[in-house]
Amino acid sequence: MRNTCYILFLFFLVGCQEERKFLIDDSYKENHTEFKKELHEEQVYYLSIVDMFKLDSASPNTFGSAEENKFRLKDSTAPGNFGAIIFEKDSLIFKAAPDIQVKTEDDSVIKEYNLLHLDHRGHSEVMRYQNYSWYVNSLEDVKLLRIMDSRNPEIDKFPGFQTYELTPDFIFEGQLTYYESPKLIEIPVSYGGTREAEFIGTVEFQYKGKTYSLDFMKGNFIMFGDKTALTETYGAGRYLEFTTSDNKTTILDFNRAYNPPCSYSSFTTCAYPPEENWLDFAVKAGEKETLVDQAN
């Protein structure tokens, strides 16, 4: 959810105003609308997940709607068997069932494919068949099979979250500092306990005369919490991303704060803010926890 023009636009506003650094004008609202569209697309992606299974390294992980599969899908209209995922030495092989035509993201038809080519999130390439798709999510020594359906009724049922009114009060100029080597911090995770995560730098900003800092990860990704958690916003914290043109400065726009996918999908695994990233003031900007249809 990055917008290269967005940060240049905000820096322009800084130079154009005297009393207030940032202005919520038509141009800002237009940029924010585009951000909301991208956020909605991401929410649809997570809402399309219909099942999630922990893979077994000792046996073939067959999956489909038929009863004889190791993992039986809840959707009885799905194919009886999609295929199997098998652990083979240092590889994780997907073998398609003989009667279905499985494709990769580049539309290539495959019968066998190594799923251990992971991206920066620990996700394998996506396999698909008609309206169904699946991939493996690697979490340290645990590998989860996520199955998605682009026609999942949950997509249309989700009304979206309420948001605070757009405000310039929670848009800040930030100063970036990068660590010489990644800083390892234990963070809470939705599936229980903690895990070690890498943070590559910190961003400092001023609020009401006080300096605050937030550690960020690759992709200029921030997990943070604040005093609105459990009362108005998601109790485990929210996410925020930023862009930078010089690796020294940025704009932190909390109007773009959004909820982790665990706040609306039970088939996701989320990381939550470390203790260092909990702010001691209320950030009344961005997404709330309350759904839109619960507001009335």
Side-chain angles (χ1 to χ4, degrees):
M1 289 181 289
R2 300 183 182 89
N3 187 331
T4 304
C5 295
Y6 167 74
I7 190 169
L8 297 176
F9 162 73
L10 285 180
F11 274 124
F12 173 76
L13 289 182
V14 174
C16 289
Q17 298 175 71
E18 296 177 0
E19 294 184 0
R20 189 178 293 279
K21 291 182 179 179
F22 301 101
L23 179 66
I24 307 298
D25 62 5
D26 290 341
S27 296
Y28 179 93
K29 291 176 182 177
E30 184 177 343
N31 272 278
H32 194 75
T33 297
E34 289 303 311
F35 161 76
K36 293 287 286 184
K37 287 180 181 177
E38 293 175 5
L39 181 59
H40 176 69
E41 290 173 2
E42 184 170 311
Q43 290 171 335
V44 167
Y45 167 78
Y46 285 112
L47 287 165
S48 70
I49 303 173
V50 291
D51 271 304
M52 183 168 66
F53 305 102
K54 181 180 177 181
L55 295 177
D56 181 0
S57 61
S59 61
N61 297 277
T62 56
F63 60 101
S65 61
E67 187 174 353
E68 61 268 19
N69 287 295
K70 183 174 181 65
F71 302 127
R72 186 179 183 186
L73 274 65
K74 300 180 182 71
D75 181 7
S76 61
T77 65
N81 178 245
F82 285 99
I85 297 175
I86 303 169
F87 288 76
E88 292 185 357
K89 295 182 180 179
D90 295 328
S91 298
L92 189 64
I93 306 298
F94 168 74
K95 295 183 178 181
D99 56 341
I100 69 170
Q101 192 178 71
V102 176
K103 296 182 178 181
T104 58
E105 292 176 285
D106 65 2
D107 223 28
S108 299
V109 177
I110 57 99
K111 282 298 178 183
E112 187 170 310
Y113 198 83
N114 189 347
L115 293 174
L116 275 188
H117 301 297
L118 306 177
D119 64 18
H120 69 282
R121 300 170 299 176
H123 293 181
S124 72
E125 184 163 359
V126 176
M127 310 277 100
R128 58 187 177 84
Y129 172 72
Q130 296 180 356
N131 51 296
Y132 299 96
S133 57
W134 57 92
Y135 67 92
V136 173
N137 184 23
S138 183
L139 301 169
E140 298 176 354
D141 58 345
V142 176
K143 289 181 172 52
L144 301 174
L145 171 64
R146 280 182 177 164
I147 301 172
M148 298 171 285
D149 178 2
S150 62
R151 300 175 186 171
N152 186 8
E154 295 303 313
I155 296 172
D156 291 331
K157 290 180 183 178
F158 180 67
F161 292 105
Q162 288 187 48
T163 59
Y164 291 97
E165 292 293 324
L166 294 176
T167 174
D169 296 337
F170 293 99
I171 307 176
F172 307 103
E173 292 180 77
Q175 301 296 316
L176 301 175
T177 302
Y178 291 85
Y179 301 126
E180 290 185 7
S181 58
K183 179 180 176 182
L184 301 178
I185 303 176
E186 288 289 325
I187 60 172
V189 288
S190 60
Y191 48 92
T194 63
R195 71 172 176 86
E196 198 171 62
E198 290 188 352
F199 291 80
I200 64 170
T202 185
V203 54
E204 288 190 350
F205 64 98
Q206 299 281 330
Y207 179 62
K208 294 187 176 180
K210 184 177 178 180
T211 300
Y212 293 89
S213 66
L214 294 168
D215 284 305
F216 61 90
M217 305 176 75
K218 288 181 180 178
N220 297 335
F221 174 70
I222 296 173
M223 299 178 287
F224 78 96
D226 67 277
K227 291 296 186 181
T228 65
L230 293 177
T231 57
E232 297 179 5
T233 63
Y234 188 58
R238 291 180 287 171
Y239 294 167
L240 181 66
E241 296 165 35
F242 64 86
T243 56
T244 176
S245 59
D246 58 9
N247 288 333
K248 295 180 181 178
T249 57
T250 188
I251 300 296
L252 286 183
D253 185 355
F254 286 94
N255 290 306
R256 293 187 169 209
Y258 63 97
N259 293 329
C262 289
S263 64
Y264 54 89
S265 171
S266 60
F267 295 114
T268 56
T269 53
C270 298
Y272 297 131
E275 184 178 349
E276 296 90 329
N277 275 17
W278 280 85
L279 301 169
D280 65 3
F281 62 90
V283 179
K284 290 182 175 289
E287 280 193 334
K288 299 180 180 181
E289 185 175 25
T290 310
L291 295 174
V292 169
D293 64 349
Q294 294 177 343
N296 299 321

